[in-house]
């Protein structure tokens, strides 16, 4: 790893690294690498029964790897001094991620291109691109992808709501702490609890509070009520009945089921976006608003010209993270609708879970997941590039 | 509360035979039983009489202390074969479910005295029902099996025994659990796998037909005097009551409750209830696949008729409650039927036990049970034609839970003996009497459970018990009962069928035949993927052919 | 003051009416949303005190619609009468609770530690590793968040089995750190970008090494942000279900699996599920209340570039 000119932080001191230190650093790295290679070699021989050391696990290799990683970090400092210390900021995290992910990802790729049904006595058999062909013709998968487009579009609405709430929380109100904590709570509920307590218990058709409320709205007010309550009541009940709330159905049709799932997911995650936007709003200096008031700007113009443009970076960050979480949506769907009336609420992840867990079709399921990963990465890259371009001209 | 319920039922108008024919778990009996409480409990001892008194009437649901007491009292057979402290230093791992804080928690209570006596230690792996199958499969496939004893459903024997994962039952265990005591359908071939015994049964499973008595009789909204005997009648009743009012709750009345959503593969059992009488011909042991080729039968006219019946009811407005498309079996059983929605249902025995003892239920006084309806005509797959005679095919759905020992204990004789001893303790003859009688999630499965003298001595009403248990026995021993094939991946077939059925019910396929064809195509794919020859071989082994 | 010189003009006083309706509008929306947020949680709490028929009937207010009972908590062994006696369920619950706590806290701390350092580096220096520049490295970290867990499931099973890390807390901690590291880096990167570099440059001139400058000057300023990232990681790892169900057996088991198993083929015990869910989020709520001010302050600093 090298560091180029153009660091945001300029090094002031010039290092004077002695040759001895450099040699020590190099020695550390290569020495520990040698130890690692040796232990790996011995353990491979052991597992293939060329040696019999009676080692049960690959733990020694793990420890040797840890040693090598530590030496690598140390050597960076030793051999490159100040520059090495900078590299040291990022090196542990990068090493950690790479080592945790590289083997599983490679193995995952192997699984993805093989035919592996866990019940099959043959075990894993490589089958090339067959899984890809199967995926191409799988109606469930494409249906789920289509649903994901719908789900992602809703993020715009969530964003608007979150923004609105953040603005409200930013104005002068009492009991700010209460509202902030209250709005943060939905994020903490575990997805299992959300899907059961809300999806199944609260939204229960016959006796759940929501359906009772809707039915009450749709029921005709009793004739004994005074006129001032009676007529609006009739009006409301007629509207409610037109909506079909006399016998409410939350998951009966494709459209409504999807809407309910979107609503529940939005409920859980709007606090996340709201908090980020609120934080950004609090950082906008007062003077800008006051200056614009002096210039005679209305509230709406203030919003358009000051608030929104300055919030753009935060908004984009929030929306991008929200998109990633939304694309992983699965728990609620699995628990409440199992993919919904005829696959209407199926998300890609929930379909993959069904394929992977219930049908033990591990090879195919892994391929679906990897294809999904690639799609998302491409989409994210495009979005980030667009976002960067969009933000630049403003400054 | 239990005594009142029992009295109410005893004085119920309907004949008791009708009421409880082929019924459910004896949790109902226990909760209602102990008539007269401790006073009339028989004086003569005997372990079985002792344990039937724990916790007794009016003491609420049994909990950990009760389980431990029962476990302690049943230690007799264990003590005969194992010396005290014999397994000191042995550590076993037990994998099972922990639904509703039963199953594994129950076993913990039973095995605490065992652990204390033998000196062994048990580690527990508790899984939720939905995770159970995937976890099992993944452990086997990646060779990360880390459990010695496992509580497993019989259908999964294909995946475990078929791959050599299970340890064969030693002879002394067969003696200890008195193997010959098991009811008919649990004897070989269902009792064994490929001729060998692996399973210690702790449960018997079958689906029964539950119905609302207030929908039948004079002046009722169906206009019929008696509950239905055939599926044709059931469908007609569902059409007739659509739009009428339920006599108990005042809400809209509904007929038969079909679960239209899947439930991890278990939803398929409910379609099988409907299809059984159509497709299970008395002369033919197979009903899901052809024996020699593993060709699916799911798209033969019998099965298609069953799917068509459901689709017909979907089309009729009001036949099903709102949102039925999102109702899985848990919903139809517990949130709908027990809460007063709908009038007919097929389910496992839990509905029966909960109907009278659970506060969830509002139908305790008006529920009746019978065997699954038959059909006026049956499809003969061999001949390829319908035959117009009456046919019954009750469904021993899921076959029952069992306790097995894995081959992780091979090579270590002491550990093997310890594992089998623990398993045998849970599956013992006396302890199982208790589990059938009290809320445990397990149903009667031994001939000795049907010993009316014991029940009477413990204080239960003789005629009632005779009637109730006798009808249970009939279902188990029915000559044309459905026992599912214990082939590897059986739940994969069910799961993919659920997916396709969901699409069919939502109208995405043109007809029932198309839906069934789609399922057949998917099943063929699975069979090919797992390996057709091995499936055929294992199918035959499971059927005992 | 008896002689007022400056008076409010008419137009200023007219503000009161529209200002008032504005206030009403704002508060009503806030209250509405607070109701939407809190009602399900209230529902969970009350359900844990209900008996089965109350759950069926959907009664809402305690003591008005139904009498609260301890049934839900008793099934967990946490009701007043069962607190004293031995209860397997409660032991199970406490063990899982303890495991969840350890795993979440440790993995969050580890993630915040590694992530903050990495974020600091990414915001201050230009790295080049092969073809990857700063933005590529950040994206690499972000892609770990996108990675579907299914891809990793079986490989991790095999990997952990060979390293004897199955069913250990360390194994879970390492995995969870991997899953939340991207979020920490993402948040902290924004944080550090907003702190001007003059501070460190001054420290460097004074002779501190870069690490010294980081620990003594930057970290205290960025502490609120780190707390915010910590809380977020905590919430995410606390509720993690997929890998917990896959990789744990009897020693390292965590809470979400127990919540999920309240449903099964014998029906749904709403009350114990509600009790369990509430007990599971209670610590998070407490933490949220205590540390709420850090969350806002933390994310504030770097949000607007």
């Amino acid at each position: 790893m090298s560091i180029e000119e153009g660091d945001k932080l300029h090094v002031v001191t010039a290092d004077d690294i002695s040759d001895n230190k450099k040699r020590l650093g190099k020695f550390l790295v290569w020495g520990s690498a040698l130890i690692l290679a040796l232990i790996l070699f011995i353990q491979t021989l052991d597992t293939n029964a060329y040696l019999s050391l009676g080692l049960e696990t690959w733990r020694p290799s793990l420890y040797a790897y840890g040693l090598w990683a530590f030496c690598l970090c140390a050597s960076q400092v030793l051999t490159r001094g100040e520059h090495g210390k900078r590299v040291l900021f990022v090196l542990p995290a990068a090493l950690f991620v790479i080592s945790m992910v590289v083997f599983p990802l490679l193995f995952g790729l192997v699984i993805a291109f093989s035919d592996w049904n866990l019940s099959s006595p043959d075990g894993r058999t490589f089958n090339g691109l067959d899984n890809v062909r199967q995926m191409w013709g799988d109606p469930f998968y494409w249906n789920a992808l289509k649903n994901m487009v719908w789900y992602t579009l809703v993020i715009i609405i969530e964003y608007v709501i979150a923004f609105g709430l953040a603005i409200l929380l930013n104005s002068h109100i009492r009991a700010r702490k209460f509202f902030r904590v209250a709005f943060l709570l939905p994020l903490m509920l575990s997805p299992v609890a959300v899907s059961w307590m809300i999806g199944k218990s609260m939204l229960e058709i016959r006796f759940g509070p929501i359906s009772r409320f809707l039915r009450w709205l749709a029921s005709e007010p009793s004739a004994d009520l005074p006129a001032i309550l009676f007529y609006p009541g009739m009006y409301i009940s007629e509207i409610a009945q037109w909506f079909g709330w006399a016998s409410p159905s939350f998951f009966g049709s494709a459209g409504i089921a999807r809407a309910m799932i979107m609503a529940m997911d939005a409920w859980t995650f709007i606090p996340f976006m709201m908090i980020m936007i609120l934080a950004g709003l609090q950082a906008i200096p007062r003077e800008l608003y006051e200056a614009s008031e002096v210039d005679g700007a209305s509230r709406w113009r203030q919003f358009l010209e000051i608030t929104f443009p300055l919030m753009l970076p935060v908004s984009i960050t929030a929306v991008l993270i929200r998109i990633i979480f939304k694309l992983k949506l699965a728990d609620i769907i699995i628990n409440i609708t199992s993919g919904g009336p005829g696959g209407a609420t199926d998300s890609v992840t929930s379909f993959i879970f069904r394929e992977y867990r219930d049908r033990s079709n591990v090879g195919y399921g892994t391929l679906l997941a990897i294809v999904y990963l690639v799609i998302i990465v491409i989409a994210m890259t495009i979005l980030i590039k667009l976002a960067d371009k969009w933000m630049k001209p403003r400054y | 509360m239990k005594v009142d319920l029992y009295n109410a039922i005893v004085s119920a108008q309907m004949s008791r035979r009708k009421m409880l024919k082929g019924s459910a778990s004896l949790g109902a009996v226990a909760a209602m039983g102990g008539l007269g409480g401790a006073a009339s409990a028989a004086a003569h001892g005997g372990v079985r009489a002792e344990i039937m008194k724990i916790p007794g009437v009016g003491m609420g649901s049994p909990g950990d202390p009760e389980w431990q007491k029962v476990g302690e009292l049943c230690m007799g057979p264990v003590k005969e074969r194992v010396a005290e402290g014999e397994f000191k230093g042995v550590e076993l791992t037990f994998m099972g479910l922990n639904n509703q804080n039963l199953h594994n928690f129950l076993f913990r209570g039973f095995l605490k005295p065992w652990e204390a006596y033998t000196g062994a230690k048990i580690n527990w792996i508790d899984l939720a029902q939905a995770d159970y199958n995937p976890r099992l499969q993944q452990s086997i496939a990646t060779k990360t099996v880390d459990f010695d004893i496992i509580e497993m459903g019989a259908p999964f024997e294909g995946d475990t025994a078929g791959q050599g994962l299970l340890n064969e039952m030693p002879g002394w265990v067969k003696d200890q659990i008195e193997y010959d005591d098991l009811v008919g359908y649990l004897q070989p071939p269902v009792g064994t796998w490929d001729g060998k015994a692996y399973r210690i049964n702790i449960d018997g499973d079958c689906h029964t037909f539950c119905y609302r008595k207030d929908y039948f009789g004079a002046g009722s909204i169906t206009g019929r005097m008696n509950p239905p005997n055939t599926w044709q009648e059931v469908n007609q009743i569902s059409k007739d009551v659509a739009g009428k009012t339920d006599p108990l709750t005042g809400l809209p009345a509904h007929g038969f409750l079909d679960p239209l959503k899947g439930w991890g593969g278990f939803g398929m059992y409910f379609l099988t209830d409907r299809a059984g009488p159509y497709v299970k011909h008395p002369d033919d042991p197979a009903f899901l696949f052809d024996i020699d080729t593993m060709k699916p039968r799911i798209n033969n006219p019998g099965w298609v008729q069953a799917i068509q019946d459901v689709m017909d009811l979907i089309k009729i407005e009001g036949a099903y409650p709102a949102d039925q498309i999102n109702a899985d079996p848990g919903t139809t059983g517990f949130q709908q039927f027990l809460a007063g929605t709908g009038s007919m249902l097929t389910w496992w025995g839990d509905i029966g036990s909960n109907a009278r003892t659970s506060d969830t239920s509002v139908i305790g006084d008006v529920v009746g049970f019978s065997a699954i309806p038959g059909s006026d005509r049956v499809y003969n797959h061999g001949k390829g034609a319908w035959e117009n005679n009456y046919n019954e095919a009750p469904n021993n759905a899921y076959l029952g839970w069992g306790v097995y020992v894995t081959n992780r204990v091979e090579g270590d004789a002491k550990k093997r003996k310890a594992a089998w001893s623990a398993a045998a303790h849970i599956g013992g003859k006396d302890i199982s009497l208790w589990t059938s009688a009290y809320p445990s999630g397990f149903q009667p499965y031994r001939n000795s459970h049907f010993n009316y003298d014991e029940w009477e001595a413990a204080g239960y009403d003789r005629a009632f018990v005779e009637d109730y248990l006798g009808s249970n026995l009939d279902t188990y021993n029915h000559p044309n009962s459905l026992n599912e094939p214990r082939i590897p991946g059986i739940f994969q077939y069910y799961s993919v069928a659920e997916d396709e059925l969901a699409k069919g019910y939502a109208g995405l396929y043109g007809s029932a035949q198309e839906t069934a064809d789609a399922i057949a195509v998917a099943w063929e794919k699975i069979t090919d993927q797992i390996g057709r020859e091995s499936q055929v071989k294992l199918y035959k082994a499971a059927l005992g052919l | 003051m008896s002689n007022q010189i400056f008076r409010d003009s008419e137009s200023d006083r007219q503000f009161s009416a529209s200002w008032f309706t504005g206030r009403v509008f704002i508060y009503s929306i806030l209250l509405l949303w607070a109701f939407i947020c809190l009602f399900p949680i209230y529902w969970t709490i009350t359900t844990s005190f209900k008996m089965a028929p109350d759950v069926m009937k959907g009664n809402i207010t305690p003591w008005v619609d139904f009498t609260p009972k301890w049934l839900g908590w008793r099934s967990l062994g946490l009701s007043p009468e069962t607190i004293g006696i031995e209860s397997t369920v409660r032991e199970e619950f406490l063990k899982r609770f303890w495991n969840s706590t350890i795993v979440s806290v440790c993995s969050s701390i580890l993630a915040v530690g590694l992530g903050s350092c990495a974020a600091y580096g990414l915001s201050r220096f230009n790295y080049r590793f092969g073809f990857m520049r700063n933005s590529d490295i950040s994206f690499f970290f972000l892609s770990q968040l996108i990675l579907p867990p299914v891809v990793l499931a079986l490989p991790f099973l095999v990997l952990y089995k060979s390293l004897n890390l199955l069913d250990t807390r360390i194994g879970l901690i390492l995995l969870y750190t991997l899953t939340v590291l991207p979020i920490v880096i993402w948040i902290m990167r924004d944080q550090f970008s907003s702190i001007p570099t003059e501070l460190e440059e001054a420290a460097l001139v004074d002779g501190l090494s870069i690490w010294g400058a980081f620990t003594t000057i930057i970290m205290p300023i960025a502490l609120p942000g780190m707390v915010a990232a910590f809380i977020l990681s905590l919430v995410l790892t606390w509720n993690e279900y997929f890998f917990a169900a896959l990789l744990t057996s009897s020693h390292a088991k965590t809470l979400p699996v127990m919540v999920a198993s309240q449903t099964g083929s014998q029906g749904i015990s709403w009350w114990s599920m509600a009790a369990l869910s509430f007990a599971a989020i209670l610590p998070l709520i407490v933490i949220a209340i205590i540390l709420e001010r850090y969350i806002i302050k933390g994310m504030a600093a770097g949000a607007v570039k």
Side-chain angles (χ1 to χ4, degrees), chain B residues 280-304:
Chain B
K280 177 74 174 70
H281 198 274
D283 301 333
D284 197 345
F287 61 98
L288 274 180
F289 300 97
D290 283 339
I291 298 185
D292 293 313
T293 60
M294 276 295 285
K295 182 166 172 313
R297 290 193 185 182
I298 189 77
N299 51 353
N300 76 5
W303 281 99
V304 172

Short mmCIF file of all heavy atoms in Angstrom, two decimals, chain B residues 280-304:
data_model
loop_
_atom_site.label_atom_id
_atom_site.label_comp_id
_atom_site.label_asym_id
_atom_site.label_seq_id
_atom_site.Cartn_x
_atom_site.Cartn_y
_atom_site.Cartn_z
N LYS B 280 -56.30 -42.60 -2.18
CA LYS B 280 -55.71 -43.77 -1.52
C LYS B 280 -56.67 -44.94 -1.68
O LYS B 280 -57.63 -45.09 -0.92
CB LYS B 280 -55.45 -43.46 -0.05
CG LYS B 280 -54.91 -44.63 0.74
CD LYS B 280 -53.46 -44.90 0.41
CE LYS B 280 -52.89 -45.98 1.30
NZ LYS B 280 -53.46 -47.32 0.97
N HIS B 281 -56.40 -45.75 -2.66
CA HIS B 281 -57.23 -46.91 -2.90
C HIS B 281 -56.81 -48.03 -1.96
O HIS B 281 -55.63 -48.22 -1.72
CB HIS B 281 -57.09 -47.35 -4.36
CG HIS B 281 -58.19 -48.23 -4.82
ND1 HIS B 281 -58.15 -49.59 -4.64
CD2 HIS B 281 -59.35 -47.95 -5.44
CE1 HIS B 281 -59.26 -50.12 -5.14
NE2 HIS B 281 -60.00 -49.14 -5.64
N PRO B 282 -57.74 -48.77 -1.40
CA PRO B 282 -57.37 -49.83 -0.45
C PRO B 282 -56.41 -50.86 -1.02
O PRO B 282 -55.65 -51.48 -0.28
CB PRO B 282 -58.71 -50.49 -0.10
CG PRO B 282 -59.73 -49.47 -0.41
CD PRO B 282 -59.20 -48.63 -1.52
N ASP B 283 -56.42 -51.03 -2.35
CA ASP B 283 -55.54 -52.05 -2.92
C ASP B 283 -54.13 -51.55 -3.17
O ASP B 283 -53.27 -52.30 -3.60
CB ASP B 283 -56.10 -52.53 -4.27
CG ASP B 283 -57.49 -53.11 -4.11
OD1 ASP B 283 -57.79 -53.60 -3.01
OD2 ASP B 283 -58.27 -53.06 -5.08
N ASP B 284 -53.91 -50.28 -2.96
CA ASP B 284 -52.66 -49.68 -3.41
C ASP B 284 -51.95 -49.02 -2.23
O ASP B 284 -52.51 -48.16 -1.59
CB ASP B 284 -52.98 -48.61 -4.47
CG ASP B 284 -51.78 -48.21 -5.28
OD1 ASP B 284 -50.65 -48.52 -4.86
OD2 ASP B 284 -51.99 -47.58 -6.33
N PRO B 285 -50.71 -49.40 -1.92
CA PRO B 285 -50.04 -48.78 -0.79
C PRO B 285 -49.56 -47.35 -1.07
O PRO B 285 -49.30 -46.59 -0.15
CB PRO B 285 -48.84 -49.69 -0.52
CG PRO B 285 -48.59 -50.39 -1.80
CD PRO B 285 -49.90 -50.50 -2.51
N ALA B 286 -49.41 -46.98 -2.36
CA ALA B 286 -48.84 -45.67 -2.68
C ALA B 286 -49.94 -44.68 -2.98
O ALA B 286 -51.03 -45.04 -3.44
CB ALA B 286 -47.91 -45.80 -3.87
N PHE B 287 -49.66 -43.43 -2.72
CA PHE B 287 -50.63 -42.40 -3.08
C PHE B 287 -49.97 -41.10 -3.54
O PHE B 287 -50.62 -40.25 -4.13
CB PHE B 287 -51.58 -42.10 -1.91
CG PHE B 287 -50.88 -41.58 -0.69
CD1 PHE B 287 -50.82 -40.24 -0.41
CD2 PHE B 287 -50.26 -42.47 0.20
CE1 PHE B 287 -50.18 -39.76 0.72
CE2 PHE B 287 -49.61 -42.00 1.32
CZ PHE B 287 -49.58 -40.65 1.58
N LEU B 288 -48.68 -40.93 -3.22
CA LEU B 288 -48.00 -39.71 -3.64
C LEU B 288 -47.18 -39.92 -4.91
O LEU B 288 -47.09 -39.06 -5.76
CB LEU B 288 -47.07 -39.22 -2.53
CG LEU B 288 -47.65 -38.32 -1.45
CD1 LEU B 288 -46.57 -37.95 -0.47
CD2 LEU B 288 -48.25 -37.07 -2.04
N PHE B 289 -46.52 -41.08 -4.94
CA PHE B 289 -45.64 -41.38 -6.07
C PHE B 289 -45.91 -42.80 -6.53
O PHE B 289 -46.36 -43.64 -5.76
CB PHE B 289 -44.16 -41.29 -5.67
CG PHE B 289 -43.73 -39.96 -5.17
CD1 PHE B 289 -43.66 -39.71 -3.81
CD2 PHE B 289 -43.35 -38.96 -6.04
CE1 PHE B 289 -43.26 -38.48 -3.34
CE2 PHE B 289 -42.93 -37.73 -5.57
CZ PHE B 289 -42.89 -37.50 -4.22
N ASP B 290 -45.57 -43.07 -7.77
CA ASP B 290 -45.57 -44.47 -8.22
C ASP B 290 -44.37 -45.17 -7.60
O ASP B 290 -43.28 -44.61 -7.52
CB ASP B 290 -45.44 -44.54 -9.74
CG ASP B 290 -46.75 -44.22 -10.42
OD1 ASP B 290 -47.80 -44.34 -9.77
OD2 ASP B 290 -46.71 -43.84 -11.60
N ILE B 291 -44.58 -46.41 -7.22
CA ILE B 291 -43.52 -47.08 -6.44
C ILE B 291 -42.29 -47.37 -7.27
O ILE B 291 -41.17 -47.19 -6.81
CB ILE B 291 -44.07 -48.39 -5.85
CG1 ILE B 291 -45.20 -48.06 -4.91
CG2 ILE B 291 -42.98 -49.10 -5.09
CD1 ILE B 291 -45.74 -49.25 -4.19
N ASP B 292 -42.48 -47.80 -8.48
CA ASP B 292 -41.29 -48.25 -9.21
C ASP B 292 -40.55 -47.13 -9.92
O ASP B 292 -39.41 -47.30 -10.30
CB ASP B 292 -41.71 -49.30 -10.26
CG ASP B 292 -42.21 -50.55 -9.58
OD1 ASP B 292 -41.52 -51.02 -8.65
OD2 ASP B 292 -43.27 -51.06 -9.96
N THR B 293 -41.22 -46.01 -10.13
CA THR B 293 -40.57 -44.97 -10.93
C THR B 293 -40.46 -43.65 -10.20
O THR B 293 -39.82 -42.73 -10.69
CB THR B 293 -41.37 -44.70 -12.22
OG1 THR B 293 -42.68 -44.28 -11.82
CG2 THR B 293 -41.45 -45.93 -13.07
N MET B 294 -41.10 -43.52 -9.05
CA MET B 294 -41.16 -42.23 -8.35
C MET B 294 -41.81 -41.16 -9.21
O MET B 294 -41.51 -39.98 -9.07
CB MET B 294 -39.76 -41.76 -7.93
CG MET B 294 -39.29 -42.34 -6.62
SD MET B 294 -40.26 -41.80 -5.21
CE MET B 294 -39.70 -40.14 -5.00
N LYS B 295 -42.68 -41.56 -10.09
CA LYS B 295 -43.40 -40.55 -10.87
C LYS B 295 -44.49 -39.98 -9.96
O LYS B 295 -45.22 -40.72 -9.32
CB LYS B 295 -44.02 -41.21 -12.10
CG LYS B 295 -44.75 -40.25 -13.02
CD LYS B 295 -45.01 -40.95 -14.36
CE LYS B 295 -45.90 -40.13 -15.27
NZ LYS B 295 -47.09 -39.58 -14.65
N PRO B 296 -44.60 -38.64 -9.90
CA PRO B 296 -45.58 -38.07 -8.97
C PRO B 296 -47.01 -38.39 -9.39
O PRO B 296 -47.32 -38.44 -10.58
CB PRO B 296 -45.34 -36.55 -9.06
CG PRO B 296 -44.09 -36.38 -9.81
CD PRO B 296 -43.86 -37.59 -10.61
N ARG B 297 -47.85 -38.59 -8.40
CA ARG B 297 -49.26 -38.79 -8.70
C ARG B 297 -50.06 -37.54 -8.41
O ARG B 297 -51.28 -37.57 -8.42
CB ARG B 297 -49.80 -39.93 -7.84
CG ARG B 297 -49.28 -41.28 -8.21
CD ARG B 297 -50.09 -42.35 -7.53
NE ARG B 297 -49.55 -43.67 -7.77
CZ ARG B 297 -50.09 -44.78 -7.32
NH1 ARG B 297 -51.19 -44.70 -6.56
NH2 ARG B 297 -49.56 -45.94 -7.58
N ILE B 298 -49.37 -36.46 -8.11
CA ILE B 298 -50.04 -35.26 -7.63
C ILE B 298 -50.95 -34.68 -8.71
O ILE B 298 -51.83 -33.88 -8.41
CB ILE B 298 -48.99 -34.22 -7.17
CG1 ILE B 298 -49.65 -33.05 -6.47
CG2 ILE B 298 -48.18 -33.73 -8.32
CD1 ILE B 298 -50.05 -33.32 -5.10
N ASN B 299 -50.75 -35.06 -9.97
CA ASN B 299 -51.62 -34.49 -10.98
C ASN B 299 -52.59 -35.52 -11.55
O ASN B 299 -53.11 -35.35 -12.64
CB ASN B 299 -50.81 -33.83 -12.10
CG ASN B 299 -49.75 -34.77 -12.65
OD1 ASN B 299 -49.53 -35.85 -12.11
ND2 ASN B 299 -49.10 -34.35 -13.71
N ASN B 300 -52.85 -36.57 -10.77
CA ASN B 300 -53.88 -37.49 -11.26
C ASN B 300 -55.25 -36.94 -10.88
O ASN B 300 -55.35 -36.04 -10.04
CB ASN B 300 -53.64 -38.92 -10.74
CG ASN B 300 -54.03 -39.11 -9.28
OD1 ASN B 300 -54.57 -38.24 -8.64
ND2 ASN B 300 -53.74 -40.30 -8.77
N PRO B 301 -56.31 -37.42 -11.52
CA PRO B 301 -57.63 -36.81 -11.31
C PRO B 301 -58.06 -36.74 -9.85
O PRO B 301 -58.79 -35.82 -9.46
CB PRO B 301 -58.56 -37.72 -12.13
CG PRO B 301 -57.69 -38.24 -13.21
CD PRO B 301 -56.33 -38.42 -12.61
N GLY B 302 -57.61 -37.69 -9.03
CA GLY B 302 -58.02 -37.66 -7.63
C GLY B 302 -57.49 -36.42 -6.93
O GLY B 302 -58.22 -35.67 -6.28
N TRP B 303 -56.18 -36.19 -7.04
CA TRP B 303 -55.59 -35.00 -6.42
C TRP B 303 -56.16 -33.73 -7.02
O TRP B 303 -56.45 -32.77 -6.31
CB TRP B 303 -54.07 -35.01 -6.62
CG TRP B 303 -53.34 -35.91 -5.68
CD1 TRP B 303 -52.88 -37.16 -5.93
CD2 TRP B 303 -52.96 -35.61 -4.34
NE1 TRP B 303 -52.25 -37.67 -4.83
CE2 TRP B 303 -52.28 -36.73 -3.84
CE3 TRP B 303 -53.13 -34.49 -3.52
CZ2 TRP B 303 -51.77 -36.79 -2.55
CZ3 TRP B 303 -52.61 -34.55 -2.22
CH2 TRP B 303 -51.95 -35.69 -1.75
N VAL B 304 -56.31 -33.72 -8.35
CA VAL B 304 -56.83 -32.51 -8.98
C VAL B 304 -58.23 -32.20 -8.46
O VAL B 304 -58.59 -31.04 -8.26
CB VAL B 304 -56.83 -32.67 -10.52
CG1 VAL B 304 -57.53 -31.51 -11.17
CG2 VAL B 304 -55.41 -32.78 -11.02
#
